[in-house]
Amino acid sequence: MTEAQLKDLLTQMTTEEKVGQLLQLATPFFKGASDRGEITGPMENMNINEEDIKHTGSVLGASGARETINIQKTHLEENRLGIPLLFMSDIIHGFKTIFPVPLAIGCSWDIELAEKSAAVAAKEAAASGVHVTFAPMVDLSRDPRWGRVMESTGEDPHLNSQFARAFVRGFQGDLDNDAHKVASCVKHFAAYGAPEGGRDYNTVDMSEWMLRENYLPAYKAALEEGCEMVMTAFNILNGIPATGNESLMRGILREEWGFDGVLISDWGAVKELIPHGVAEDQKQAAELALKAGVDIEMMTSCYTNHVQELIEEGSLEESTLDEGVLRILQLKNKLGLFDNPHRFASEEDEKKYILSPEHRRASRELAAKSIVLLKNEDVLPLNAEKKVALVGPFASNTDILGPWSWGGSAEDTVTVETGLNQQLKDLAVAKGTDLRDGNEEDLKAALQTAEQADVVVVALGEHSDWSGEAGCLADIRLPEVQLDLLKKMKQLGKPVVAVLFNGRPLDLREVTEHADAVVEAWYPGTEGGNAVADILLGKVNPSAKLSMSMPYSVGQVPVYYNSYSTGRPKDAPDAQERYVSQYLDIPNEPLFPFGYGLSYSQFEYGELQLSADRMTKEDTLTVTVDVTNVSDIPGEEVVQLYVRDNVGQVVRPTKELKDFRKVALQPGHTETVTFQITEPQLRYYHANMEHTSDPGEFTVFVGTNSQDVKAKRFRLE
Ligand code: NOJ
């Protein structure tokens, strides 16, 4: 349809039909759905009727070619103007072929593979009838207690922005021409990743300076990449719920950034303006959200029940409604739904693409590149000839897909046991304990198994329900029974390798103390067991680096690398013993810093070279460093570039990641890694929110992680 035809369609719609476009309901509400079942209760609760369902604009959570085709067909028979439904789903880290959780993908620092993972997910989902995915989630987070850290790529605005772009490219590409793509919806706008105390849905209060510096860049990056939709956040931001926050939505998102796509509320978030205490009732909630610019209301019916009334009594302009409806029609048109309402839904293609060997390979490759080697005292890689005991609650566990993997299934998942069995000659397995509860018998069996072995691999971790939405924890240590199992294994005097499956940075002090090697596998996805085996046996040399700091203890949280220097830094040359910024009982530093991760190779960094010691705003400064693989194993290294503005008008972080390169090095080989610094990279938000640079001295750092770096200074004139 042309834009004129779309506008004409809008003029033919009744107010009721228009309001319908703003409603999103879950699959069971629709007549064509196989699981329609008993919906009278939910409909009564929402005060909606069959007529409202006929007018509905979009569906939440539908997938399966047959299902989506049925729902669409039935809907088109009943919808007076033949306006197709939009099918939206949470395709977060894979559809049926599950990839590692996004936090793990963040640790790969592999932008290309991240893009590919989203492309694979899009292909499977599109064949299954999905039009829009509620991803990427790009909420920066510094608090591992928050369950949703697993859904974000970590704590750094630059790295998160790179991944945000990659995911949008992978999911969406060029929607007009690319086959099997889905529109993407970046979320949760804004600052959902900073709830007080790490408790989900909780208060967010931060200065505009902090928001712009750290939290907004990744959303903006996704939009610059062409992301079609934005989802609001559940939290309040500086006193105003994001979902009714006009200055955030109309101000920053639409006016400042020029976003003209569809803005959707999170699940029930419009109605939640009532418990937040900013709306008296659903009518006021509808008014606040629509005025703030929220187009689609997900799963509550404040708009359906009250927008017409608000217009009739003059509290709301009809044009505000029209604006939202037009954007939704435009998106449907862009997706080609007026010409082909079923889009790529095809049972035949589902069979062809879903869990294809190619998709499984991509998942295995990315999983292996996401696994972080945290400690290795001459234990790994394992010798395939040795007798290995695999113990622990994750030894044969299929719960390694992680939260937001509803499309994945246990039957398709490769466990650690299966993966190791493919590559080891002699493997014996015993669970030892459940996740939180153990018994003497299981422990005894595990000890007996381990006693026969040369090496013990202990697979430990968190149930996937312990992270994800509403999966917050105040204690971020592994449960006592699991630590106990590890200690008992260590007491046998054999080399012990801990492999961890979890959705957040944990306090790993005891684990690192009692294991000779520690492998952070996160939730690695469908091919997880194979990827873990690839790493343990050295088929893949670990190259992942933490994209979020691993705290020393929960008492440090939030602990992040790009923090600001205090007036009393502990490491100042003239620091006093007591009156400095420190804890008396624990170090200031995390257990493992941002950017940290070991390899089976060893890399040496030469001295940093700068092309000049000063630059003007027009210059490009070239930074070079020689990186040598001094081991006899080929490996990959993520070379990281950080900058510090030594004296700013506003206090600057002690380090900020500006760039990175992943280099593959053969034994004995050296590569000269080159970075370029230009003035825009040195800009930051000043007190008046201007994004400019200050002339003066900077330090540039290059290194293997955010702490272990070489430094040089230069001046910006
Ligand atoms: C709530 C979650 O916060 C959001 O991320 C998700 O997309 C929606 N539910 C829809 O499932």
Side-chain angles (χ1 to χ4, degrees):
M1 275 203 215
T2 61
E3 187 65 14
Q5 285 170 316
L6 284 180
K7 287 192 171 139
D8 183 55
L9 176 61
L10 185 65
T11 62
Q12 295 172 46
M13 295 169 79
T14 63
T15 307
E16 226 181 324
E17 284 169 335
K18 287 194 247 181
V19 177
Q21 288 301 311
L22 311 191
L23 174 64
Q24 176 161 103
L25 293 173
T27 322
F29 283 90
F30 294 87
K31 274 204 182 149
S34 55
D35 61 346
R36 193 161 204 237
E38 180 45 63
I39 56 152
T40 323
M43 279 171 66
E44 268 171 20
N45 284 342
M46 290 176 79
N47 189 28
I48 57 171
N49 55 37
E50 291 290 352
E51 211 45 35
D52 295 320
I53 294 174
K54 277 187 208 166
H55 299 320
T56 305
S58 55
V59 187
L60 170 69
S63 71
R66 184 180 302 174
E67 177 91 339
T68 52
I69 290 172
N70 260 342
I71 296 175
Q72 189 74 291
K73 265 196 188 148
T74 319
H75 176 78
L76 288 173
E77 280 159 19
E78 297 202 324
N79 184 279
R80 183 179 71 94
L81 293 164
I83 301 176
L85 287 164
L86 260 175
F87 293 106
M88 307 196 191
S89 272
D90 291 278
I91 313 296
I92 310 295
H93 51 110
F95 177 47
K96 302 251 178 189
T97 307
I98 303 297
F99 283 81
V101 291
L103 183 59
I105 297 180
C107 296
S108 73
W109 297 54
D110 198 319
I111 303 302
E112 266 172 49
L113 287 184
E115 180 176 337
K116 191 165 169 191
S117 74
V120 165
K123 195 162 179 173
E124 294 188 358
S128 187
V130 175
H131 305 147
V132 177
T133 176
F134 292 133
M137 183 277 215
V138 302
D139 302 317
L140 184 138
S141 184
R142 296 167 164 176
D143 196 329
R145 291 172 298 182
W146 190 49
R148 298 193 82 166
V149 290
M150 50 62 56
E151 226 181 302
S152 155
T153 47
E155 74 184 29
D156 182 66
H158 177 73
L159 195 59
N160 282 4
S161 299
Q162 300 292 312
F163 279 114
R165 287 178 188 276
F167 288 137
V168 172
R169 282 195 302 271
F171 285 128
Q172 196 180 278
D174 175 355
L175 260 193
D176 288 335
N177 309 314
D178 284 359
H180 290 88
K181 291 290 182 189
V182 293
S184 72
C185 174
V186 65
K187 65 192 187 184
H188 305 81
F189 197 68
Y192 179 45
E196 281 181 0
R199 206 182 72 220
D200 209 2
Y201 319 125
N202 203 12
T203 301
V204 178
D205 188 276
M206 68 169 67
S207 67
E208 186 179 351
W209 169 68
M210 180 62 81
L211 181 73
R212 287 185 182 271
E213 279 268 298
N214 291 297
Y215 290 83
L216 293 187
Y219 308 109
K220 187 156 183 258
L223 295 177
E224 282 168 2
E225 208 59 46
C227 185
E228 291 289 343
M229 284 184 58
V230 175
M231 187 186 292
T232 68
F234 285 125
N235 53 280
I236 67 170
L237 180 59
N238 303 335
I240 303 184
T243 306
N245 197 321
E246 204 171 329
S247 66
L248 200 56
M249 305 300 168
R250 290 209 188 266
I252 295 182
L253 192 58
R254 297 219 187 269
E255 276 157 38
E256 198 180 313
W257 295 355
F259 174 67
D260 60 359
V262 175
L263 178 59
I264 187 169
S265 79
D266 201 345
W267 178 299
V270 173
K271 195 171 158 193
E272 285 172 21
L273 296 176
I274 304 169
H276 268 306
V278 295
E280 200 173 343
D281 51 23
Q282 295 196 30
K283 185 172 157 193
Q284 197 185 357
E287 183 181 349
L288 282 174
L290 201 58
K291 282 188 174 164
V294 179
D295 301 320
I296 298 181
E297 179 181 2
M298 187 195 291
M299 287 309 291
T300 48
S301 50
C302 306
Y303 284 4
T304 311
N305 289 318
H306 301 287
V307 166
Q308 180 147 9
E309 191 188 336
L310 285 164
I311 292 172
E312 279 163 11
E313 69 184 34
S315 319
L316 200 69
E317 299 287 330
E318 178 117 21
S319 59
T320 309
L321 168 65
D322 287 357
E323 235 182 76
V325 178
L326 185 62
R327 280 194 285 261
I328 295 161
L329 296 178
Q330 283 167 336
L331 179 59
K332 291 184 175 185
N333 194 39
K334 219 171 189 179
L335 286 157
L337 297 179
F338 288 103
D339 299 324
N340 177 10
H342 306 302
R343 220 167 163 253
F344 297 114
S346 147
E347 288 188 74
E348 220 172 279
D349 285 347
E350 282 182 308
K351 284 192 202 108
K352 237 191 305 176
Y353 300 143
I354 287 176
L355 287 157
S356 70
E358 188 199 336
H359 290 186
R360 278 185 172 275
R361 265 197 305 279
S363 169
R364 180 171 178 167
E365 189 184 2
L366 183 51
K369 296 218 171 193
S370 303
I371 295 174
V372 190
L373 179 63
L374 294 173
K375 176 179 176 183
N376 186 19
E377 309 225 303
D378 296 328
V379 195
L380 295 174
L382 297 177
N383 180 339
E385 305 297 321
K386 291 267 163 79
K387 278 180 115 175
V388 176
L390 171 64
V391 303
F394 275 90
S396 320
N397 199 335
T398 51
D399 185 25
I400 56 170
L401 302 181
W404 287 122
S405 52
W406 54 273
S409 75
E411 303 86 77
D412 296 318
T413 305
V414 181
T415 64
V416 181
E417 178 181 358
T418 311
L420 280 178
N421 255 325
Q422 311 279 326
Q423 300 189 41
L424 281 173
K425 293 215 173 102
D426 192 343
L427 179 73
V429 183
K431 174 170 76 166
T433 177
D434 286 324
L435 293 174
R436 280 208 200 278
D437 304 302
N439 59 59
E440 283 303 315
E441 216 174 297
D442 284 345
L443 181 60
K444 213 166 125 199
L447 283 167
Q448 274 166 3
T449 307
E451 260 161 14
Q452 313 297 315
D454 302 317
V455 185
V456 187
V457 175
V458 193
L460 306 171
E462 298 183 313
H463 191 284
S464 58
D465 283 351
W466 303 353
S467 53
E469 187 177 347
C472 305
L473 291 178
D475 183 355
I476 55 170
R477 295 172 323 126
L478 284 176
E480 224 47 72
V481 277
Q482 296 196 43
L483 294 172
D484 198 47
L485 177 71
L486 179 66
K487 287 176 201 165
K488 295 255 164 45
M489 292 298 142
K490 182 65 191 161
Q491 282 160 11
L492 296 176
K494 319 223 169 196
V496 170
V497 180
V499 184
L500 308 171
F501 299 86
N502 49 287
R504 58 164 57 73
L506 294 167
D507 167 352
L508 294 177
R509 273 176 297 163
E510 283 150 291
V511 174
T512 44
E513 189 186 326
H514 297 286
D516 302 288
V518 180
V519 174
E520 177 54 79
W522 307 109
Y523 291 117
T526 305
E527 287 286 324
N530 280 330
V532 166
D534 289 344
I535 290 289
L536 295 186
L537 273 296
K539 200 164 161 184
V540 176
N541 190 349
S543 60
K545 306 266 190 172
L546 294 176
S547 61
M548 198 171 167
S549 309
M550 284 267 185
Y552 180 89
S553 96
V554 75
Q556 286 182 325
V557 166
V559 60
Y560 48 95
Y561 88 94
N562 48 355
S563 57
Y564 302 91
S565 184
T566 65
R568 296 194 175 189
K570 205 176 117 204
D571 53 4
D574 58 348
Q576 298 182 25
E577 204 175 296
R578 181 173 180 99
Y579 295 100
V580 291
S581 181
Q582 66 180 346
Y583 296 106
L584 296 178
D585 53 347
I586 56 168
N588 284 3
E589 293 73 31
L591 190 61
F592 297 108
F594 175 83
Y596 176 89
L598 302 173
S599 161
Y600 298 147
S601 307
Q602 243 154 33
F603 302 104
E604 254 175 36
Y605 282 67
E607 283 314 309
L608 269 192
Q609 309 285 343
L610 302 192
S611 57
D613 59 5
R614 51 189 60 233
M615 66 183 278
T616 66
K617 288 192 170 180
E618 288 70 41
D619 286 344
T620 298
L621 188 77
T622 305
V623 182
T624 49
V625 64
D626 282 350
V627 183
T628 306
N629 182 348
V630 293
S631 69
D632 52 8
I633 307 169
E636 284 187 330
E637 166 75 338
V638 180
V639 183
Q640 303 159 36
L641 175 97
Y642 299 87
V643 167
R644 176 175 184 173
D645 185 344
N646 296 346
V647 183
Q649 286 177 19
V650 173
V651 174
R652 305 302 305 135
T654 46
K655 271 187 203 104
E656 287 177 276
L657 181 75
K658 292 292 174 184
D659 208 348
F660 56 92
R661 297 262 186 292
K662 204 172 203 184
V663 290
L665 285 169
Q666 289 301 319
H669 280 237
T670 299
E671 179 152 333
T672 304
V673 179
T674 305
F675 297 100
Q676 314 227 284
I677 297 178
T678 56
E679 184 269 336
Q681 285 166 289
L682 307 176
R683 294 180 191 166
Y684 70 90
Y685 286 96
H686 286 65
N688 59 4
M689 294 308 129
E690 268 181 29
H691 195 237
T692 52
S693 60
D694 296 333
E697 191 187 64
F698 290 77
T699 306
V700 54
F701 311 86
V702 178
T704 183
N705 65 56
S706 61
Q707 277 178 10
D708 186 359
V709 289
K710 305 254 174 172
K712 266 236 155 92
R713 291 168 184 227
F714 71 90
R715 291 192 77 83
L716 175 69
E717 290 170 341

